[in-house]
Amino acid sequence: DAGVTQSPTHLIKTRGQQVTLRCSPKSGHDTVSWYQQALGQGPQFIFQYYEEEERQRGNFPDRFSGHQFPNYSSELNVNALLLGDSALYLCASSLDRTSGRARDTQYFGPGTRLTVL
Amino acid sequence: GEDVEQSLFLSVREGDSSVINCTYTDSSSTYLYWYKQEPGAGLQLLTYIFSNMDMKQDQRLTVLLNKKDKHLSLRIADTQTGDSAIYFCAERGDQGGKLIFGQGTELSVKP
């Protein structure tokens, strides 16, 4: 049973560029959440996707956008990169909470380390 | 408001018990979680507790929840060097799926 996978593992970009990060959920999961983890901090919620729609959003600017595909995989896009966007980006998958409360536990992937120069 | 706080560091000797503490502010929290993060890796789910429970035990792990004081703790029995990592407490409110994380407690286990 494959867990959550993310690509790429590492990425280096320059200020002003755009980046796309990818996530494949754990088998059987239908919901994907994205988090940003700055060095030495806990993860911060960016947004959550379910049924190809953004269902909930954290306190991040519109430069952060996402997409969910019919196979439940997801992309995180960041435009106009800033130095402060350098972080570990974590994807988490879960089964929608209406399927049973305990089953929406979030399982995390290994993350994508983004460095903005 | 939503806020989760943890002490930043804990150092124990191998074989001792470790207790990592966490406080949260959202009284509507339904589930509380403990995740482990090793260097350069993602988050590994250790355990979770539903807000109507006081205690949950899972092998070497014991979670205690004091809902009145909004205090959560994780006890690791017979701590091993492989337990050295950063431990995150997280709460999930009833309003949606987002998790609110603490800053993490770095556990150092000395032989």
Side-chain angles (χ1 to χ4, degrees), chain A:
Chain A
D1 178 21
V4 181
T5 60
Q6 293 186 242
S7 64
T9 307
H10 296 88
L11 204 51
I12 299 175
K13 293 285 188 178
T14 56
R15 281 178 295 175
Q17 284 190 310
Q18 178 263 345
V19 69
T20 297
L21 310 181
R22 295 176 176 82
C23 171
S24 290
K26 187 175 161 68
S27 178
H29 284 182
D30 57 9
T31 303
V32 173
S33 304
W34 286 92
Y35 294 81
Q36 180 195 66
Q37 186 180 21
L39 202 59
Q41 303 294 316
Q44 299 287 317
F45 176 78
I46 303 174
F47 41 52
Q48 183 180 85
Y49 275 82
Y50 171 67
E51 290 189 339
E52 302 179 48
E53 298 280 337
E54 183 184 289
R55 178 159 68 175
Q56 193 178 14
R57 190 178 181 93
N59 189 23
F60 279 80
D62 292 346
R63 297 187 299 108
F64 290 77
S65 63
H67 190 77
Q68 186 179 34
F69 298 94
N71 68 353
Y72 308 120
S73 67
S74 176
E75 288 181 350
L76 163 66
N77 301 293
V78 187
N79 294 324
L81 284 166
L82 304 174
L83 295 179
D85 294 331
S86 294
L88 181 67
Y89 287 85
L90 294 163
C91 167
S93 76
S94 55
L95 188 61
D96 179 62
R97 64 209 306 262
T98 58
S99 301
R101 297 178 75 90
R103 298 171 74 186
D104 66 352
T105 299
Q106 294 183 25
Y107 294 86
F108 284 80
T112 294
R113 171 75 60 190
L114 172 64
T115 302
V116 182
L117 302 177

Side-chain angles (χ1 to χ4, degrees), chain B residues 4-93:
Chain B
V4 176
E5 293 194 359
Q6 301 177 237
S7 52
L8 295 182
F9 300 100
L10 176 65
S11 180
V12 301
R13 292 218 170 269
E14 193 173 20
D16 287 350
S17 291
S18 307
V19 179
I20 302 171
N21 294 300
C22 168
T23 57
Y24 62 97
T25 56
D26 187 354
S27 58
S28 68
S29 292
T30 54
Y31 280 94
L32 295 134
Y33 301 84
W34 285 103
Y35 286 89
K36 174 184 179 183
Q37 187 174 38
E38 298 185 61
L43 300 179
Q44 174 194 350
L45 176 68
L46 290 178
T47 188
Y48 62 88
I49 188 168
F50 188 48
S51 57
N52 69 352
M53 298 169 66
D54 298 324
M55 186 183 88
K56 181 178 180 180
Q57 187 153 2
D58 185 359
Q59 299 183 334
R60 291 192 298 124
L61 305 179
T62 303
V63 178
L64 296 178
L65 175 60
N66 181 329
K67 198 172 178 186
K68 173 177 168 288
D69 294 337
K70 298 190 184 73
H71 182 267
L72 182 74
S73 67
L74 173 69
R75 178 176 179 269
I76 305 173
D78 186 25
T79 314
Q80 303 297 307
T81 54
D83 294 324
S84 292
I86 299 177
Y87 290 79
F88 290 96
C89 162
E91 63 172 344
R92 197 202 81 199

